Amino acid sequence: MAPPLARIRRGLLAALVTAAVALPVAGAAGPAEVPAPAPPPTAPLTAGTPAELTARLDARYADRRAALRAAEQTAHAYGARRRAAALHAMAEPGRRFLAFDGRDGGRSAEVVGDLARADRIAVLVPGVDTGLDHYARFRAGALALRDTLRRDTGGDRTRGDRTAVVAWLGYRTPATASAASLTPGRAEQAAPALTATVAELHRIRPTARITLLCHSYGSVVCARAAAGTPAAAIVLYGSPGTGHDDVAALHTRATVWAGRAAGDWVARVPHVRIPLPSPARSGSELGFGADPTDPAFGARRFAAGDGGHSDYLAPGSVPLRNLARIVEGREPADA
């Protein structure tokens, strides 16, 4: 007979099966309904000298800025004031977007730092409730990480100027506690786009160390994209699980790290996986299985402080400093 705690956990998830099967994918209304024009296609970026790559990137940034402004105009005409205001801020001079598509809730990839000269590249992969309407919160985390990388350089003052952070909002994130947040469907849809982004970064900066920083449901996305990625490290934090039993199942050469803050509610998420009936639209199973911070999972652990689920990139925090150290290729601190 299963232990009482295991029975409770399975009962909790079983009670959610009906919602996952019967309810439409959460988040289908609202932000995803705001229209936007299709952005013009972009030519693939190719490697070159820093000057050549800078010129190519500047052209890409200018092109995506025009797409942002077109989407802003459409959102304004539609009456979506919050979306229009967010897009207006994103299109400001000096902002650098590798990718942008305002349709279906929006997709983007913003660069903080000088990608043309970066020796270390961090790719932030967000979790639930991240979208264009509240994009400033996501960008604030990217800015905090970049600032930390510039300050904490391990004695090499030039190292901080050779780092770049890519805030990758390349998929429609699920809402907290929605049916979509309990199944891998969105992650399976997102993984090819993440794989393509990492491949492009590796192509243009083949010697750069690339790290995937995967928060919350973003860790499920990273797990789906892990196989064959040229990333040197994959960091899972605030993770509900990955849908895999252990690191070996990720089929990656990257070093896999895991951390969870003491005050993170995700610690209470049951670590089980329940198959769903085949007609389910939101994914093939409910739950994400093994806890990445469990020693049996096989990830390297790092100290993540006492904060909550949304505090990992808080300026000056323990997890932020340790994430920066991992991006640099250094050992994280104990606290």
Side-chain angles (χ1 to χ4, degrees):
M1 179 179 295
L5 181 57
R7 291 201 302 272
I8 291 172
R9 287 178 172 178
R10 289 186 178 276
L12 175 61
L13 280 181
L16 294 172
V17 169
T18 300
V21 174
L23 292 177
V25 175
E33 293 181 340
V34 179
T42 58
L45 291 170
T46 57
T49 66
E52 291 170 340
L53 185 53
T54 295
R56 293 167 189 161
L57 285 169
D58 285 347
R60 171 75 71 89
Y61 299 150
D63 180 82
R64 295 302 89 176
R65 188 173 300 113
L68 277 158
R69 287 171 175 161
E72 176 195 351
Q73 293 173 0
T74 302
H76 182 77
Y78 185 73
R81 296 180 180 178
R82 176 179 291 178
R83 175 67 55 84
L87 295 172
H88 182 79
M90 293 168 74
E92 290 177 352
R95 301 283 290 269
R96 302 168 172 177
F97 282 86
L98 279 176
F100 174 77
D101 187 336
R103 297 172 296 175
D104 187 33
R107 312 286 189 272
S108 66
E110 183 175 9
V111 177
V112 180
D114 187 355
L115 185 57
R117 292 172 173 80
D119 293 333
R120 294 165 184 82
I121 303 170
V123 181
L124 291 179
V125 182
V128 296
D129 295 326
T130 306
L132 295 182
D133 290 350
H134 303 286
Y135 180 79
R137 296 184 305 192
F138 183 40
R139 183 175 187 253
L143 291 172
L145 176 60
R146 166 70 173 158
D147 287 345
T148 302
L149 287 164
R150 295 187 70 182
R151 289 196 307 268
D152 185 12
T153 59
D156 182 353
R157 294 190 177 184
T158 65
R159 178 183 292 179
D161 293 327
R162 300 198 307 268
T163 60
V165 177
V166 178
W168 185 84
L169 180 56
Y171 75 113
R172 191 168 139 213
T173 66
T176 300
S178 66
S181 73
L182 301 172
T183 63
R186 296 281 179 91
E188 291 168 356
Q189 296 168 9
L194 179 58
T195 299
T197 297
V198 176
E200 181 172 58
L201 294 172
H202 180 65
R203 183 172 65 248
I204 64 176
R205 294 296 296 163
T207 62
R209 172 186 169 86
I210 299 175
T211 302
L212 300 183
L213 302 180
C214 318
H215 178 235
S216 187
Y217 189 88
S219 63
V220 188
V221 177
C222 288
R224 294 299 190 278
T229 179
I234 298 174
V235 189
L236 314 172
Y237 57 104
S239 173
T242 65
H244 297 284
D245 293 331
D246 51 34
V247 167
L250 300 182
H251 301 291
T252 179
R253 295 181 179 180
T255 300
V256 179
W257 295 85
R260 185 172 62 229
D264 192 339
W265 59 259
V266 83
R268 299 190 293 273
V269 171
H271 292 288
V272 296
R273 292 156 65 189
I274 298 176
L276 292 175
S278 57
R281 294 183 295 169
S282 55
S284 58
E285 57 188 14
L286 191 65
F288 303 109
D291 179 356
T293 64
D294 188 323
F297 187 79
R300 298 191 64 186
R301 294 284 302 277
F302 70 93
D306 298 324
H309 189 65
S310 301
D311 298 332
Y312 290 92
L313 298 178
S317 67
V318 169
L320 177 61
R321 292 196 301 269
N322 277 336
L323 290 171
R325 292 172 73 94
I326 293 171
V327 169
E328 293 170 352
R330 296 195 288 153
E331 289 291 313
D334 293 334

